[in-house]
C-alpha cells in the first residue's frame, strides 16, 4: 500500500481506531501491518512471515546459553539463508541473463529459459532487520526475543516495513512489546510530520520528478543548462521523496505511540562526503558501518586497510540498491571520495569539514552537494551509457541550431528549481537550527498558515505525475 | 484519547491543526468562488463541456472550434460585424482531434438549430496521438463517461477538482514574473506587426531561437499520427449533415523545423500531406494557411500563436472564405 493512496487514507484511521478500541492489541497492529504489506501482493506475505519466522528461531537457538558451540554455525546458516533469499529475489534475473549471454558467446544455443523473478517490495529492508537481529543475538548485544508475534510485529510494523528506516531490534522491539499510549505531544508531532512528509512527497518530489524524468529518459535531447537542471531536479527529488517517506513513517508511528529514528539530518548541508554519509539514510549507513565496515576491520590496521574497507563497504552498499554497473560505480565513487577525505585527514591532520561556518563552510557545502549530484547521475540513469551521455551533455554548449536546449520554457524550470529547492533548504535550515520539532516551534499563526497552505498544495498536486516512492524498488 | 495528559492540553496542542484545516476550507471556498466567477476553469468534465458549447447551443450559423489557436486567430464579435451570419466559437484548450470531435458531436446533438458550417482549427500537435495534448484532453473525454470514484471524491475538494486551472494560473504568474506578460507585449505591437506582415520576411534568427528556447509540445515523445481523429471528426459532421471546414492556421516555420529536427524520419511535410489527403472527402473543405504569414517575432508571440492584435486581420480571412458565395462581401479594409 502506498502512503499517498486513497487506500492508505482509509487504512490509517481505521487501524488507529481498531488499535485504540482493542486497548492497543498487538494482534490488531500485526494484522494491520500484514494487510498493509499484502495489499501490494498477498502472495509475498509468506516470504516476509517465513523469513522472519526463520530469523526468530535462529535467534532463539543462537541465544540459547545451553548450546554455546552451535552459536556460530547457526549464525552462518541464518545469514546464508537470509542472504540467499535476498540474492535470489534481487539478483536472479541478472545472474540468469549473464549466464545466457555467456552461454551464447561460447557457442551454446538459446534453448534454455529461466522464469523472471518479481522483486518483493521491502525485501532489502526486512532482510537487513532479520540479519541484524541474529547477529546482535550472537554478539550478545540484545536478548533473544521471547515471542514470535512480537518479533513478527517488529519486522512488519507497517510504517517502516517497505522503505525503512531500518530499525534496530534494540530500539523498536521494546516499544512494540510495551506499546505505550501516544501522548498529545506525540499526536502534535505526528500530524506535523505527516503534513510535512506528504508535502515533500506530493508537491516537491513529484514536481521535481517531472523535470528529472524528462532529462533522464531522453538524455540526448537535453544539453547544457537543461541537462544540469535535470540532475539537480533528481537530487531534489530523491531527497524530498525518501525523507518524506521517513517523515510519514515517523508520523504514523507517533500516532501509535511508537518512535522511529530520523533517517535524514539535512544531508545537503554537509560540508564533506564523510559528513553527508552521517546525515543521509542514517539507518542504512549505520547498518553498513556496524555489520560490514567494522567486521572488516574498520579504521584499525592502517590507512590502506581503512581505504580498502571503505571502498568494499560502499560498493556493497551500492550493489544493495540493485544489480547494475551504475550502482556499483555509484558505490565506488562514494567510497573513493570518502577515501580521499581520509587521505586528506591523514596527510594534513585536518578534517575536511572543519570550516563549517562562514563563507568557507558554504563553499564546502556547495562543492559537496555538487559532488553528490554527480554521483546521483549513476544512481538514476537507466544504464551506464545513458549516465555517460548525461554527463557529456552537462558540459555541452547548446548553441547549435536545432539543439533541444530547453526543459520547457528555459526560465520556468529554473524558477521551479529555485522555489522547490528553496523550500527544502528553508526546511533544512530550520531543522538544523531548531531540531526535530522545528515545525512546532514556529509561532502559532505561522504554523496554522503554513500547515493550511501545505494541505492545500497537497490537495492541488495529488494525482499529478504521481510516482511510487523511489526506495520501493529497492 | 491519552489519559496521561488532560484533554484541555490536547485541545491547546492540536489547535493549530484545526486552524490549518480552517485555512484549507477557506481556500477551497475561494477556489469554488473563482470557478463560479469563471476566473478558474471548472474541473468537472461535464460542466466544462457544457460551458464550452453553451455559445453554440442556442444557435449560430458558423461554429469555429479548436484550441487556443482559435483564440489567437479569430474574433467572433468582429466576424459578426463583417458578415450577416452569426458566428460563435467553441474553444477547447489543448484538445486533441478526438476530443474536439466528441464535443462537437454533443453540441450538434444538443443544439436547437443546426449550423451552416462547422469550422475546426487544428495544427500539427493535434494530429499526434502520443503527445502531451492526449493527457490534457482526458478531461474532455471524461465528460462522456460515467464519473469515476476518484472524480466523485475530487468534486468534494474544489482545490483538487480545479487543480489544472489553479496550476496553470500559478505557472503563468511565475512565468510573467520572470519574463513579463507576453499578452501585454502583444498589445503594444500593432504598427510593427502590420508592417512585418506586409514585408513578408522570415526572421531566421528568431526561428532558431524559438527552436532552441521555446517549449514546443510533444518534446521527447514520438509522433504517432492520429488518423482515427480525422475520420471521427468527418463522421460526426456527416452524421448531422453539416459541412466541415478544416483550417490549418498560420504557424511559424519553427514548428516544422523543430519537428524535422526531432523526427528526421517522419518529416512534417510528409505528415502534412497525409493530413490533407485524410480530409479530401465529400463535404469537407480545407483552408491551408499554415505558411501564410512570415515567421518573425512581430507576427508570432510564440511558434504557434500569432499576436492577439493580428486576430482582426485573420478574422477577415475566415469571413471571406466562410461567407456563402452570393452574399460574400467585397474586400474590406481592416476596421481595427
Amino acid at each position: 500500500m502506498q502512503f499517498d493512496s486513497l487506500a492508505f487514507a482509509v487504512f490509517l484511521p481505521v487501524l488507529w481506531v481498531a488499535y485504540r478500541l482493542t486497548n492497543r492489541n498487538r494482534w490488531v497492529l500485526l494484522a494491520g501491518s500484514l494487510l498493509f504489506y499484502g495489499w501490494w501482493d498477498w502472495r509475498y506475505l509468506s516470504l516476509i512471515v517465513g523469513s522472519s519466522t526463520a530469523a526468530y528461531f535462529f535467534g532463539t537457538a543462537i541465544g540459547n546459553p545451553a548450546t554455546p558451540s552451535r552459536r556460530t554455525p547457526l549464525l552462518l546458516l541464518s545469514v546464508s539463508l537470509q542472504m540467499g533469499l535476498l540474492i535470489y529475489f534481487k539478483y536472479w534475473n541478472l545472474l540468469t541473463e549473464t549466464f545466457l549471454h555467456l552461454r551464447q558467446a561460447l557457442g551454446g544455443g538459446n534453448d534454455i529459459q529461466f522464469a523472471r523473478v518479481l522483486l518483493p517490495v521491502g525485501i532489502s529492508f526486512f532482510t537487513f532487520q532479520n540479519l541484524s537481529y541474529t547477529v546482535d543475538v550472537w554478539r550478545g548485544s540484545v536478548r533473544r526475543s521471547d515471542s514470535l508475534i512480537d518479533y513478527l510485529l517488529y519486522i512488519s510494523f507497517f510504517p517502516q516495513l517497505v522503505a525503512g528506516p531500518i530499525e534496530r531490534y534494540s530500539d523498536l522491539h521494546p516499544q512494540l512489546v510495551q506499546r505505550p499510549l501516544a501522548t498529545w505531544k506525540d499526536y502534535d508531532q505526528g500530524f506535523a510530520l505527516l503534513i510535512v512528509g506528504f508535502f515533500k512527497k506530493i508537491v516537491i518530489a513529484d514536481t521535481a520528478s517531472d523535470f528529472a524524468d524528462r532529462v533522464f529518459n531522453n538524455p540526448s535531447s537535453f544539453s547544457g543548462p537543461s541537462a544540469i537542471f535535470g540532475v539537480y531536479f533528481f537530487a531534489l527529488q530523491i531527497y524530498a521523496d525518501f525523507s518524506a517517506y521517513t517523515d510519514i513513517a515517523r508520523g504514523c508511528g507517533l500516532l501509535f505511540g511508537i518512535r522511529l529514528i530520523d533517517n535524514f539530518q539535512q544531508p545537503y548541508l554537509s560540508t564533506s562526503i564523510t559528513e553527508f554519509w552521517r546525515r543521509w539514510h542514517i539507518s542504512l549507513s549505520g547498518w553498513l558501518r556496524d555489520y560490514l565496515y567494522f567486521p572488516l576491520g574498520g579504521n584499525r590496521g592502517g590507512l590502506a586497510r581503512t581505504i580498502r574497507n571503505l571502498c568494499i563497504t560502499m560498493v556493497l552498499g551500492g550493489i544493495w540498491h540493485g544489480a547494475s554497473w551504475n550502482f556499483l560505480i555509484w558505490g565506488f565513487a562514494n567510497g573513493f571520495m570518502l577515501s580521499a577525505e581520509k587521505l586528506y585527514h591523514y596527510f594534513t591532520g585536518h578534517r575536511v569539514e572543519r570550516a563549517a561556518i562562514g563563507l568557507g563552510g558554504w563553499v564546502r557545502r556547495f562543492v559537496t552537494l555538487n559532488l553528490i549530484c554527480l554521483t546521483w547521475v549513476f544512481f538514476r540513469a537507466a544504464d551506464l551509457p545513458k549516465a555517460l551521455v548525461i554527463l557529456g551533455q552537462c558540459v555541452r554548449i547548446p548553441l547549435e541550431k536545432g539543439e533541444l536546449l530547453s526543459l520547457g520554457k528555459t526560465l520556468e524550470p529554473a524558477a521551479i528549481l529555485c522555489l522547490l529547492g528553496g523550500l527544502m533548504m528553508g526546511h533544512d535550515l530550520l531543522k538544523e537550527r531548531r531540531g526535530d520539532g522545528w515545525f512546532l516551534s514556529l509561532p502559532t499563526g505561522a504554523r496554522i498558515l503554513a500547515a493550511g497552505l501545505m494541505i492545500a498544495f497537497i490537495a492541488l498536486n495529488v494525482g499529478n505525475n504521481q510516482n511510487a516512492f523511489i526506495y520501493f524498488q529497492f | 484519547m491519552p489519559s496521561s495528559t488532560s484533554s484541555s492540553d490536547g485541545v491547546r496542542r492540536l489547535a493549530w491543526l484545526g486552524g490549518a484545516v480552517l485555512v484549507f476550507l477557506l481556500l477551497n471556498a475561494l477556489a469554488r468562488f473563482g470557478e463560479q466567477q469563471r476566473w478558474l476553469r471548472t474541473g468537472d468534465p461535464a460542466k466544462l463541456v457544457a460551458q464550452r458549447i453553451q455559445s453554440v447551443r442556442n444557435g449560430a450559423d458558423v461554429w469555429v472550434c479548436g484550441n487556443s489557436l482559435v483564440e489567437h486567430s479569430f474574433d467572433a464579435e468582429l466576424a459578426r460585424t463583417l458578415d450577416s451570419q452569426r458566428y460563435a466559437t467553441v474553444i477547447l484548450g489543448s484538445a486533441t482531434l478526438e476530443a474536439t470531435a466528441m464535443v462537437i458531436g454533443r453540441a450538434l446533438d444538443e443544439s436547437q438549430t443546426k449550423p451552416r458550417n462547422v469550422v475546426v482549427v487544428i495544427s500539427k500537435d493535434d494530429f499526434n496521438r502520443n503527445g502531451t495534448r492526449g493527457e490534457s484532453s482526458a478531461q474532455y473525454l471524461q465528460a462522456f463517461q460515467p464519473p469515476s470514484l476518484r472524480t466523485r471524491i475530487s468534486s468534494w475538494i474544489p482545490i483538487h477538482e480545479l487543480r489544472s486551472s489553479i496550476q496553470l494560473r500559478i505557472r503563468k504568474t511565475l512565468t510573467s514574473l520572470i519574463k513579463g506578460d507576453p499578452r501585454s507585449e502583444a498589445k503594444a505591437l500593432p504598427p510593427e506587426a502590420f508592417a512585418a506582415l506586409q514585408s513578408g520576411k522570415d526572421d531566421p534568427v528568431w526561428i532558431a531561437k524559438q527552436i532552441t528556447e521555446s517549449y514546443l509540445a510533444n518534446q521527447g515523445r514520438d509522433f504517432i499520427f492520429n488518423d482515427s481523429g480525422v475520420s471521427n471528426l468527418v463522421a460526426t459532421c456527416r452524421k448531422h449533415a453539416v459541412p466541415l471546414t478544416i483550417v490549418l492556421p498560420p504557424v511559424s516555420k519553427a514548428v516544422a523545423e523543430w519537428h524535422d529536427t526531432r523526427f528526421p524520419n517522419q518529416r512534417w511535410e510528409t505528415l502534412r500531406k497525409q493530413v490533407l489527403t485524410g480530409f479530401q472527402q465529400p463535404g469537407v473543405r480545407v483552408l491551408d494557411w499554415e505558411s501564410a504569414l512570415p515567421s518573425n517575432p512581430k507576427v508570432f508571440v510564440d511558434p504557434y500563436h500569432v499576436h492577439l492584435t493580428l486576430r482582426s486581420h485573420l478574422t477577415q480571412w475566415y469571413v471571406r472564405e466562410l461567407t456563402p458565395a452570393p452574399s460574400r462581401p467585397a474586400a474590406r479594409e481592416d476596421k481595427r
Side-chain angles (χ1 to χ4, degrees):
Chain A
M1 198 182 291
Q2 287 265 21
F3 279 156
D4 52 344
S5 65
L6 196 59
F8 186 73
V10 176
F11 166 83
L12 185 65
V14 169
L15 181 65
W16 185 86
V17 169
Y19 183 63
R20 295 306 303 265
L21 287 178
T22 55
N23 201 20
R24 307 193 300 285
N25 188 302
R26 62 181 180 164
W27 285 97
V28 170
L29 208 50
L30 179 62
S33 296
L34 293 178
L35 174 70
F36 176 87
Y37 188 77
W39 196 266
W40 168 70
D41 189 336
W42 61 269
R43 289 170 300 174
Y44 284 111
L45 278 173
S46 56
L47 178 70
I48 185 172
V49 172
S51 71
S52 306
T53 305
Y56 168 79
F57 283 115
F58 273 113
T60 305
I62 291 166
N64 184 356
T67 54
S69 60
R70 291 187 194 163
R71 293 172 66 240
T72 304
L74 282 170
L75 174 74
L76 290 174
L77 198 60
S78 170
V79 169
S80 307
L81 176 74
Q82 297 293 339
M83 288 306 292
L85 280 174
L86 188 64
I87 289 169
Y88 171 71
F89 282 104
K90 212 154 179 171
Y91 308 110
W92 172 260
N93 292 342
L94 179 91
L95 292 172
T96 52
E97 277 164 23
T98 311
F99 170 76
L100 290 175
H101 280 304
L102 279 174
R103 192 164 178 268
Q104 267 190 324
L106 295 171
N110 52 359
D111 50 330
I112 304 179
Q113 281 198 331
F114 293 100
R116 288 193 70 78
V117 175
L118 182 67
L119 182 70
V121 167
I123 187 168
S124 307
F125 291 89
F126 65 72
T127 302
F128 269 31
Q129 281 180 301
N130 281 329
L131 281 170
S132 68
Y133 166 70
T134 44
V135 172
D136 285 352
V137 172
W138 178 79
R139 283 174 176 167
S141 54
V142 298
R143 274 193 62 238
R144 58 183 176 165
S145 175
D146 300 328
S147 155
L148 176 60
I149 300 307
D150 285 342
Y151 184 76
L152 283 178
L153 187 53
Y154 153 65
I155 295 294
S156 66
F157 182 52
F158 75 92
Q160 48 94 56
L161 169 58
V162 176
I166 305 168
E167 286 287 339
R168 299 293 176 87
Y169 178 80
S170 54
D171 294 329
L172 183 58
H173 184 262
Q175 295 186 70
L176 291 169
V177 172
Q178 198 193 350
R179 292 186 298 285
L181 193 63
T183 63
W184 285 115
K185 196 178 167 192
D186 290 338
Y187 288 118
D188 202 11
Q189 202 164 1
F191 283 121
L193 281 168
L194 285 175
I195 293 171
V196 172
F198 278 114
F199 182 80
K200 280 201 242 175
K201 166 64 182 156
I202 291 169
V203 180
I204 299 181
D206 286 348
T207 307
S209 81
D210 180 27
F211 292 96
D213 289 351
R214 276 197 246 168
V215 172
F216 279 92
N217 293 344
N218 205 2
S220 53
S221 295
F222 300 92
S223 62
S226 300
I228 296 170
F229 280 160
V231 176
Y232 281 138
F233 269 118
F234 178 69
L236 181 64
Q237 181 200 350
I238 190 168
Y239 176 39
D241 185 286
F242 199 11
S243 67
Y245 191 92
T246 302
D247 287 346
I248 297 168
R250 293 176 67 217
C252 290
L254 283 170
L255 299 186
F256 291 83
I258 306 293
R259 295 181 174 276
L260 302 178
I261 64 160
D262 191 1
N263 223 0
F264 294 89
Q265 285 179 353
Q266 306 75 260
Y268 288 163
L269 294 179
S270 305
T271 52
S272 70
I273 304 296
T274 309
E275 191 186 351
F276 174 81
W277 280 105
R278 279 191 215 122
R279 290 166 174 259
W280 177 273
H281 202 172
I282 295 166
S283 61
L284 177 67
S285 314
W287 198 98
L288 291 173
R289 182 195 61 214
D290 293 349
Y291 299 100
L292 196 56
Y293 180 66
F294 286 167
L296 282 170
N299 58 5
R300 288 165 301 173
L303 184 67
R305 280 201 161 204
T306 304
I307 288 174
R308 183 203 68 178
N309 295 341
L310 269 176
C311 288
I312 292 174
T313 305
M314 294 312 290
V315 165
L316 289 177
I319 295 173
W320 173 82
H321 286 86
S324 77
W325 282 105
N326 277 27
F327 287 123
L328 193 139
I329 291 172
W330 174 75
F332 181 75
N334 277 288
F336 177 79
M337 291 191 291
L338 288 170
S339 304
E341 288 183 359
K342 286 276 178 212
L343 281 170
Y344 177 82
H345 175 54
Y346 182 80
F347 287 113
T348 64
H350 300 303
R351 293 200 177 276
V352 179
E353 62 266 35
R354 74 191 191 285
I357 45 168
L359 184 64
W362 284 103
V363 171
R364 282 163 195 274
R365 286 187 178 110
F366 179 76
V367 173
T368 306
L369 175 64
N370 281 282
L371 287 173
I372 291 298
C373 287
L374 203 65
T375 64
W376 286 141
V377 172
F378 293 97
F379 191 95
R380 170 62 180 81
D383 49 41
L384 188 55
K386 274 196 173 159
L388 297 175
V389 168
I390 288 174
L391 289 176
Q393 294 291 80
C394 285
V395 292
R396 201 165 147 213
I397 301 167
L399 289 178
E400 300 161 37
K401 185 181 173 187
E403 179 75 47
L404 305 177
L405 157 72
S406 64
L407 245 186
K409 287 168 188 147
T410 313
L411 291 173
E412 202 176 292
I416 292 171
L417 183 66
C418 289
L419 192 71
L420 300 182
L423 283 171
M424 280 305 281
M425 181 62 92
H427 161 273
D428 278 11
L429 287 172
L430 273 168
K431 197 174 163 196
E432 182 86 351
R433 198 164 291 175
R434 298 185 183 187
D436 207 16
W438 67 273
F439 186 75
L440 299 173
S441 73
L442 296 175
T444 311
R447 206 185 323 157
I448 288 173
L449 192 66
L453 284 172
M454 279 196 277
I455 297 171
F457 272 97
I458 291 166
L460 188 67
N461 239 42
V462 73
N464 251 13
N465 193 41
Q466 205 165 337
N467 296 306
F469 284 92
I470 291 176
Y471 264 71
F472 269 35
Q473 61 186 297
F474 305 129
Chain B
M1 285 292 120
S3 56
S4 58
T5 49
S6 68
S7 46
S8 63
D9 179 40
V11 171
R12 191 176 51 79
R13 274 196 173 274
L14 292 179
W16 68 271
L17 195 59
V21 171
L22 207 64
V23 170
F24 175 63
L25 292 175
L26 277 172
L27 289 170
N28 274 288
L30 197 66
R32 192 60 88 201
F33 181 70
E35 183 196 11
Q36 281 161 3
Q37 297 299 311
R38 302 270 180 105
W39 301 331
L40 295 171
R41 194 175 91 156
T42 180
D44 177 348
K47 228 191 276 182
L48 178 75
V49 167
Q51 274 180 11
R52 291 292 180 271
I53 61 178
Q54 199 178 7
S55 57
V56 294
R57 211 189 269 156
N58 298 329
D61 299 320
V62 182
W63 298 2
V64 183
C65 317
N67 48 41
S68 58
L69 292 167
V70 174
E71 212 176 359
H72 278 258
S73 66
F74 183 74
D75 182 343
E77 240 176 82
L78 175 64
R80 274 182 232 127
T81 66
L82 297 173
D83 187 8
S84 57
Q85 296 189 103
R86 288 171 301 160
Y87 287 85
T89 55
V90 178
I91 297 175
L92 306 164
S94 300
T96 55
L97 215 49
E98 245 124 8
T100 306
M102 289 184 88
V103 175
I104 290 173
R106 175 165 289 185
L108 286 169
D109 287 339
E110 293 181 3
S111 71
Q112 288 156 358
T113 53
K114 297 287 173 246
R116 285 186 204 159
N117 206 334
V118 168
V119 181
V120 179
V121 182
I122 40 183
S123 74
K124 180 179 80 72
D125 294 313
D126 303 321
F127 297 103
N128 186 0
R129 191 188 289 285
N130 194 30
T132 48
R133 278 163 205 261
E135 287 155 22
S136 314
S137 282
Q139 208 188 358
Y140 299 113
L141 299 175
Q142 276 167 17
F144 299 89
Q145 291 154 2
S148 63
L149 177 66
R150 188 174 268 273
T151 312
R152 267 179 275 162
I153 291 174
S154 82
S155 69
W156 305 334
I157 309 164
I159 283 187
H160 185 63
E161 194 187 42
L162 301 165
R163 63 189 186 279
S164 314
S165 181
I166 298 173
Q167 282 164 352
L168 188 69
R169 286 236 161 221
I170 294 172
R171 280 177 101 96
K172 279 190 174 170
T173 310
L174 250 178
T175 313
S176 66
L177 279 176
I178 306 163
K179 298 175 88 172
D181 184 1
R183 289 182 185 225
S184 61
E185 186 193 328
K187 279 172 197 156
L189 276 173
E192 296 96 313
F194 288 110
L197 271 184
Q198 278 151 16
S199 81
K201 279 184 189 160
D202 292 336
D203 179 346
V205 177
W206 180 79
I207 295 173
K209 194 166 173 276
Q210 290 301 312
I211 292 169
T212 56
E213 286 188 359
S214 277
Y215 175 68
L216 289 154
N218 305 308
Q219 200 154 30
R221 309 263 184 119
D222 290 341
F223 197 101
I224 302 172
F225 185 70
N226 187 353
D227 42 4
S228 66
V230 173
S231 51
N232 287 352
L233 186 61
V234 173
T236 301
C237 290
R238 195 166 287 162
K239 184 182 143 199
H240 291 271
V242 176
L244 171 67
T245 303
I246 298 295
V247 175
L248 300 177
V251 291
S252 79
K253 285 183 180 150
V255 173
E257 290 200 17
W258 180 87
H259 178 92
D260 292 347
T261 313
R262 178 73 182 80
F263 308 109
N265 300 325
Q266 216 179 1
R267 298 184 72 81
W268 171 233
E269 194 47 42
T270 316
L271 290 168
R272 220 172 74 86
K273 279 182 187 149
Q274 205 175 335
V275 170
L276 296 175
T277 314
F279 282 121
Q280 263 177 8
Q281 297 192 42
V284 184
R285 185 176 169 215
V286 179
L287 301 174
D288 182 6
W289 298 333
E290 200 175 88
S291 311
L293 293 180
S295 299
N296 72 49
K298 299 290 191 299
V299 176
F300 288 95
V301 70
D302 63 42
Y304 284 96
H305 300 98
V306 294
H307 281 293
L308 282 172
T309 45
L310 291 175
R311 271 200 313 182
S312 54
H313 186 84
L314 293 171
T315 303
Q316 292 183 63
W317 294 8
Y318 280 89
V319 172
R320 191 177 61 219
E321 297 293 340
L322 299 171
T323 306
S327 60
R328 188 169 284 175
R332 288 153 94 165
E333 281 308 304
D334 196 353
K335 282 190 173 178
R336 291 192 170 185

